[in-house]
Amino acid sequence: LIYHNHKFEFEKFEGKPGLEWLLDASDAAHVGFELDTYWVQAGGADPVKWVRKVEGRMKVVHLKDMAIVDDTQVFAEIGEGNMDWPAVIEACRETGVEWYVVEQDKCPGDPFESLAVSYRTLSSWAD
């Protein structure tokens, strides 16, 4: 089983986020994670800390940026929002992530242009 999070998993139960309950109650042999960086941040958590928290249990990460427009969280192309991408990418590399999936739920314009923006940004960070 590979679990993909959204925002609601960061609601706290007895002082601990729901996603942490799942992490603590499962083992790597049976439950992996596919964190979505946008939803981690939207839930009030730190994507970098969560990438490190699921170390060894995540081979795929969903890269999704978040911008603030008119005091509202919105989806953004990679590098166009507020995500700390250098730290996120470093944590992913250090914890064994193999696949980076760009996901953008809503685009401000043409979806192919949004994809091109994210691709250019990610390509500029390649080793």
Side-chain angles (χ1 to χ4, degrees):
L1 173 70
I2 303 293
Y3 192 85
H4 177 284
N5 70 285
H6 291 88
K7 178 175 150 179
F8 68 88
E9 288 91 344
F10 293 94
E11 182 175 341
K12 291 187 178 181
F13 302 92
E14 298 179 21
K16 192 162 76 169
L19 192 60
E20 195 163 338
W21 284 101
L22 177 61
L23 177 64
D24 292 347
S26 62
D27 63 79
H30 296 99
V31 179
F33 292 87
E34 187 172 331
L35 293 180
D36 183 307
T37 57
Y38 178 96
W39 291 121
V40 171
Q41 186 161 300
D46 180 347
V48 173
K49 288 181 182 174
W50 269 92
V51 167
R52 294 193 185 288
K53 215 175 252 237
V54 298
E55 181 171 2
R57 297 177 72 170
M58 183 170 69
K59 297 297 179 192
V60 180
V61 65
H62 279 191
L63 303 181
K64 191 185 307 179
D65 212 340
M66 175 192 292
I68 305 299
V69 177
D70 296 325
D71 202 28
T72 302
Q73 297 173 341
V74 297
F75 301 104
E77 292 88 352
I78 303 300
E80 300 298 307
N82 299 323
M83 199 73 60
D84 182 1
W85 289 114
V88 170
I89 299 298
E90 179 182 346
C92 287
R93 287 178 175 161
E94 290 175 356
T95 59
V97 171
E98 295 177 19
W99 294 91
Y100 299 78
V101 177
V102 173
E103 181 180 25
Q104 189 165 339
D105 296 21
K106 295 179 184 174
C107 301
D110 178 57
F112 289 103
E113 181 53 32
S114 287
L115 180 60
V117 169
S118 293
Y119 178 77
R120 283 191 298 269
T121 301
L122 287 168
S123 294
S124 73
W125 299 335
D127 287 337

